[in-house]
Amino acid sequence: MKNSSSFLCLLLLLPLVTAQLEVGFYDKKCPRAEQIVRSVIVKQFGIDKTITAAFLRMHFHDCMVRGCDASVLIDPTSTAPSEKDAVPNQTLRGFDIVDKAKKKLEAKCPGIVSCADIIALATRDSVFLSGGLNYSVPTGRRDGLISNPNLVNLPGPTVSVSQALQFFVSKGLNLFDLVVLLGAHTVGIAHCGFFQDRLFDFQGTRNRDPTMNRALWLKLFGICGTQVLPLLEEPTAFLDQTTPFTIDNKYYRDIRKRRGILQIDQELVFRNSTASLVSAFANDPDGFQQSFANALVKMGRVGVLVGKAGEIRENCRVFN
């Protein structure tokens, strides 16, 4: 596998500058913008290492609805619901950290740095602090003017790889991107309700999922049992059972051992189109790191607003 790192990198190698976004976009307008965001993330990471999973999820949930426009940050009101009201977004967190970064940026460079760019930068910084690459983030996104919960149609953890791929393709991404971005499950947790059927009634069979490692099944059954609870009251389990706070390739090694928590994770091993990629990443930690960074940059370009489109919010939670 000595050459697989180069092969994987070439598949997703992306230029640092595009017609839409540019690395160093704030160099003249707000030279310390990226440093300010990183200082906030470094401080918070010292308190809570789970923010990496929180920002990876926030970035995905933002970009995959109307594009990377910070629409997921808007607070609902009594007369205007927002994306935060949608069920998939009710367990998102990290909004207060974005607020802290925005407050510091507004004090230094008012009206310059978008909330959408804060999410992208905070994701990069938390990934780096968790052992990932310190990749360059093209910036210049502007904030959207719409946040509608009815537009949130994200694929859930029980969808098939084929169903997830259809969604990814609709956003300009491909199968390789899907396998790489699922590697974000190297950090974070899953609520029992997202995989509980695999423990005792898989696909209505009244039996456990036979593809799950028995030792893992016993552990998860001990955590979750059969009782169905409201989402926010459910127990949780680490998605990566070996290094749950580190960005690494252990996720791929785990699913090859049938230790995937979510159904879609485990399915990657049993599909011819994805099994070879899982194997490559499992054996090539450097290749995964570079491909993961590149995939996050690619996802960060989905549906961006640039130029005079949208706005630069003063407060990330409300439209100007």
Side-chain angles (χ1 to χ4, degrees):
M1 298 303 296
K2 289 182 178 180
N3 295 323
S4 60
S5 177
S6 298
F7 172 72
L8 292 173
C9 294
L10 286 172
L11 285 175
L12 266 181
L13 192 59
L14 300 169
L16 293 182
V17 180
T18 73
Q20 295 181 317
L21 303 176
E22 179 182 353
V23 171
F25 180 82
Y26 297 110
D27 284 355
K28 294 182 179 179
K29 301 176 183 178
C30 187
R32 296 190 64 251
E34 295 196 23
Q35 292 174 303
I36 290 170
V37 174
R38 176 160 292 195
S39 69
V40 172
I41 299 305
V42 167
K43 183 177 181 180
Q44 192 65 34
F45 186 82
I47 302 170
D48 178 12
K49 290 180 172 55
T50 68
I51 66 168
T52 304
F55 275 110
L56 282 167
R57 192 158 177 255
M58 182 193 295
H59 197 21
F60 180 84
H61 281 227
D62 183 41
C63 292
M64 294 302 203
V65 177
R66 288 183 50 83
C68 309
D69 65 353
S71 55
V72 76
L73 301 180
I74 295 296
D75 280 343
T77 67
S78 58
T79 57
S82 77
E83 289 178 24
K84 286 183 178 178
D85 290 314
V87 173
N89 291 337
Q90 289 177 7
T91 53
L92 289 181
R93 58 193 179 86
F95 303 121
D96 58 322
I97 307 172
V98 174
D99 293 340
K100 291 176 183 176
K102 182 61 172 175
K103 183 177 180 180
K104 288 181 177 291
L105 288 165
E106 286 298 303
K108 190 71 175 179
C109 313
I112 299 296
V113 182
S114 70
C115 301
D117 277 342
I118 293 174
I119 296 176
L121 292 169
T123 301
R124 184 271 308 278
D125 294 339
S126 60
V127 164
F128 172 61
L129 291 169
S130 293
L133 295 186
N134 186 25
Y135 58 92
S136 297
V137 175
T139 46
R141 299 166 187 79
R142 289 173 65 85
D143 300 321
L145 299 171
I146 296 173
S147 184
N148 184 343
N150 296 324
L151 300 178
V152 179
N153 186 29
L154 297 165
T158 60
V159 301
S160 67
V161 170
S162 296
Q163 291 170 323
L165 179 59
Q166 289 179 0
F167 177 81
F168 270 59
V169 169
S170 73
K171 303 299 180 181
L173 304 175
N174 57 37
L175 183 66
F176 190 89
D177 302 325
L178 171 62
V179 177
V180 177
L181 289 171
L182 279 173
H185 291 169
T186 186
V187 292
I189 59 171
H191 289 260
C192 286
F194 291 137
F195 58 85
Q196 207 164 14
D197 67 310
R198 300 187 67 204
L199 305 180
F200 60 87
D201 190 23
F202 182 58
Q203 297 181 344
T205 62
R206 296 186 181 277
N207 293 306
R208 70 181 182 91
D209 183 347
T211 68
M212 182 181 285
N213 173 280
R214 180 173 175 79
L216 177 63
W217 171 73
L218 286 171
K219 180 178 181 179
L220 295 178
F221 193 85
I223 294 172
C224 301
T226 60
Q227 185 177 6
V228 178
L229 298 171
L231 178 62
L232 296 180
E233 297 177 19
E234 288 177 341
T236 60
F238 287 118
L239 289 167
D240 180 334
Q241 294 289 299
T242 51
T243 54
F245 301 109
T246 304
I247 299 291
D248 57 25
N249 68 334
K250 298 293 178 60
Y251 159 82
Y252 298 100
R253 295 183 183 183
D254 278 350
I255 61 177
R256 291 185 75 192
K257 296 175 182 177
R258 302 192 176 197
R259 293 179 60 83
I261 304 298
L262 302 179
Q263 181 180 336
I264 189 171
D265 293 336
Q266 196 57 68
E267 187 183 336
L268 293 178
V269 177
F270 301 112
R271 287 177 56 97
N272 291 334
S273 60
T274 54
S276 59
L277 288 173
V278 170
S279 180
F281 288 134
N283 290 291
D284 185 6
D286 293 338
F288 165 67
Q289 291 283 14
Q290 186 63 67
S291 296
F292 187 59
N294 289 342
L296 288 173
V297 172
K298 185 176 181 181
M299 183 184 75
R301 292 192 177 101
V302 173
V304 294
L305 300 174
V306 294
K308 296 183 179 180
E311 64 182 10
I312 303 296
R313 288 184 211 141
E314 296 177 15
N315 179 341
C316 291
R317 294 175 180 262
V318 298
F319 301 119
N320 288 348

